[in-house]
């Protein structure tokens, strides 16, 4: 069965105007106007007039097996369902372990990733976790990346955080180098995805990797860059120097009172400060624990990340004056490029047919297609 979406306003994420789009065998086969479909072809026509057609969202961090535990076992967050991700417009995501890599394991993450794939989500994962020595599936970061198709890189490695394992510069350099070389050999990004905490060190460990090693800057992918004022200030300089800046979309009023910025506000400020738009991404941190600690590191309260926040912050960014093309790139093309996912994040002939039909007035997601099939 072919699908012909007719007359939608196409954002790929650049604006291409009103176009028709043909989907065949899970990919985009044609874009244009006035396709003459031969008689007898099994084509399902979808009227896209009055709708935006945009790429499916790419989420570089989701804790699909749950997270938490900083306050004890009563604080473990639940698993994420594939249907919840699809309803939020997320057609591609990367799963990770968090603080707990003992009762939650990489084997569980891999099993959940394959569950998501069976449900139509293009799911991937990082090997490793917050802590070093690194935990793996096959015995090393190199073999995980090279031998397991779903593993793109290593993460979520915690730095500048009282919950980290206080890794040394040499330990981080060795880890990032191993992931990069494995990525080269496997044809993957081999990216190293870093959790940034509230520590005063902020981006200093990554600046040391940039300045004191030969590791390309694109291999270093820091997240939670909007979690406090001093980290955000450093992230501006990091982004202007060509580094990736990832902002977390899951937030709550009490976290904002502690100094966190909403991702939409952070995007506006980064762009105004001259950070290139193509170096910024959003991630949901879905189903992660979002703890608040006092000055002595004691847990005050715990919340859970929400995958729906990814689209919500895009809508808020547009309401604050960010062009739709720019806001879309932050949740589609940019993270896909950072993760080395060439078939994702962009609407074009030959790309995977991961598509959202969106109401232009409310920016509400009306329909979701992944791998060429309507899921929502």
């Amino acid at each position: 069965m072919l699908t012909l979406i007719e007359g939608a306003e196409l954002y790929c994420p650049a604006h291409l105007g009103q176009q028709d789009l043909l989907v065949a065998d899970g990919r985009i086969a044609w874009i244009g106007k006035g396709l003459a479909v031969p008689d007898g072809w099994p084509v399902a026509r979808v009227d896209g007039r009055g709708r935006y057609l945009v790429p499916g969202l790419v989420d570089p961090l989701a804790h699909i097996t749950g997270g938490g535990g900083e306050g004890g076992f009563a604080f473990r967050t639940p698993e994420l369902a594939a249907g919840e991700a699809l309803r939020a417009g997320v057609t591609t995501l990367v799963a990770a372990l968090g603080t707990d890599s003992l009762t939650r394991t990489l084997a569980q993450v891999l099993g959940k990733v394959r569950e998501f794939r069976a449900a139509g989500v293009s799911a991937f994962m990082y090997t490793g976790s917050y802590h070093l020595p690194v935990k793996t599936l096959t015995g090393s970061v190199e073999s995980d990346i090279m031998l397991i198709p779903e593993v793109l890189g290593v993460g979520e490695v915690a730095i500048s955080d009282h919950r980290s394992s206080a890794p040394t510069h040499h330990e981080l350099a060795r880890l990032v180098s191993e992931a990069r070389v494995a990525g080269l050999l496997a044809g993957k990004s081999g990216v190293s995805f870093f959790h940034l905490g509230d520590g005063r060190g902020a981006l200093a460990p990554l600046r040391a990797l940039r300045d004191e090693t030969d590791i390309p800057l694109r291999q270093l992918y820091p997240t939670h860059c909007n979690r406090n004022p001093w980290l955000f200030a450093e992230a501006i300089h990091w982004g202007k120097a060509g580094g990736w800046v990832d902002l977390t979309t899951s937030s709550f009023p009490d976290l904002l009172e502690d100094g966190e910025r909403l991702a939409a506000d952070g995007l506006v400020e980064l762009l105004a400060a001259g950070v290139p738009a193509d170096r910024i991404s959003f991630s949901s941190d879905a189903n992660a624990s979002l703890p608040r600690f006092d000055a002595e590191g004691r847990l005050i309260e715990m919340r859970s990340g929400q995958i729906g926040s990814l689209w919500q912050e895009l809508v808020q960014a547009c309401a604050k004056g960010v062009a739709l093309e720019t806001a879309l790139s932050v949740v589609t093309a940019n993270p896909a490029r950072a993760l080395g996912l060439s078939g994702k994040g962009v609407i074009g002939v030959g790309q995977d047919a991961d598509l959202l039909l969106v109401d232009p007035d409310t920016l509400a997601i009306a329909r979701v297609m992944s791998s060429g099939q309507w899921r929502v």
Side-chain angles (χ1 to χ4, degrees), residues 301-366:
E301 63 179 335
M302 180 86 74
R303 304 283 185 86
S304 179
Q306 303 295 316
I307 199 162
S309 64
L310 204 61
W311 184 259
Q312 292 166 8
E313 286 302 296
L314 175 147
V315 173
Q316 288 300 311
C318 292
K320 295 175 184 292
V322 177
L324 179 58
E325 299 97 314
T326 301
L328 279 170
S329 68
V330 167
V331 292
T332 59
N334 294 356
R337 192 171 68 258
L339 297 166
L341 299 175
S342 59
K344 304 296 185 183
V346 176
I347 295 177
V349 173
Q351 296 291 109
D352 292 345
D354 299 334
L355 305 166
L356 310 180
L357 273 172
V358 176
D359 182 273
D361 297 321
T362 63
L363 291 185
I365 298 171

Side-chain angles (χ1 to χ4, degrees), residues 23 38-39 58 83 97 118 144 167 190 195-196 200 250 264 270 282 310 322 329 341-342 353-354 361:
V23 174
D39 293 338
V58 179
L97 286 174
D144 277 9
H195 161 103
L196 272 295
R200 289 289 173 178
S250 293
L270 289 171
F282 285 178
L310 204 61
V322 177
S329 68
L341 299 175
S342 59
D354 299 334
D361 297 321

Side-chain angles (χ1 to χ4, degrees), residues 2-6 20-23 30 35 37 43-46:
L2 309 176
T3 300
L4 181 61
I5 304 172
E6 298 177 297
D20 302 336
L21 182 146
L22 181 69
V23 174
W30 176 86
L35 178 65
V37 180
V43 176
R45 295 177 180 269
V46 175

Side-chain angles (χ1 to χ4, degrees), residues 61-76:
L61 178 61
H63 295 273
I64 62 177
T65 56
E70 287 95 335
F73 291 106
F75 290 87
R76 289 161 59 91

Side-chain angles (χ1 to χ4, degrees), residues 9-12 14-19 31 347:
E9 198 73 16
L10 185 61
Y11 286 84
C12 67
H15 185 207
L16 296 185
Q18 194 174 49
Q19 302 282 342
I31 298 171
I347 295 177

Side-chain angles (χ1 to χ4, degrees), residues 135-263:
K135 294 187 177 179
T136 65
L137 285 159
T138 63
S140 73
V141 167
E142 181 181 34
S143 57
D144 277 9
I145 293 172
M146 290 188 64
L147 301 179
I148 301 175
E150 295 89 346
V151 176
L152 298 179
V154 64
E156 174 188 14
V157 180
I159 57 175
S160 300
D161 194 303
H162 62 91
R163 294 166 292 170
S164 79
S165 54
T168 67
H169 169 73
H170 294 293
E171 287 174 327
L172 290 177
R174 186 175 296 111
L175 177 66
V176 173
S177 297
E178 184 178 358
R180 167 173 160 72
V181 172
L184 291 173
L185 295 172
K188 300 177 179 178
S189 66
V191 70
S192 295
F193 195 79
F194 287 95
H195 161 103
L196 272 295
D198 283 314
R200 289 289 173 178
L203 283 163
L206 299 193
R207 289 199 305 273
L209 292 174
R210 178 193 65 190
D211 298 339
E212 301 173 23
T213 74
D214 297 321
I215 297 164
L217 189 55
R218 67 177 181 274
Q219 299 300 130
L220 310 175
Y221 199 179
T223 190
H224 312 321
C225 292
N226 52 321
R227 73 181 307 145
N228 62 54
W230 59 90
L231 175 56
F232 187 76
E234 289 194 18
I236 291 174
H237 295 288
W238 177 264
K240 290 175 72 172
W244 289 109
V245 178
D246 187 69
L247 307 179
T248 303
T249 57
S250 293
S251 188
F252 296 94
D254 45 15
L255 296 176
L256 299 175
E257 291 174 4
D258 292 341
E260 185 170 287
R261 278 175 172 79
L262 285 173

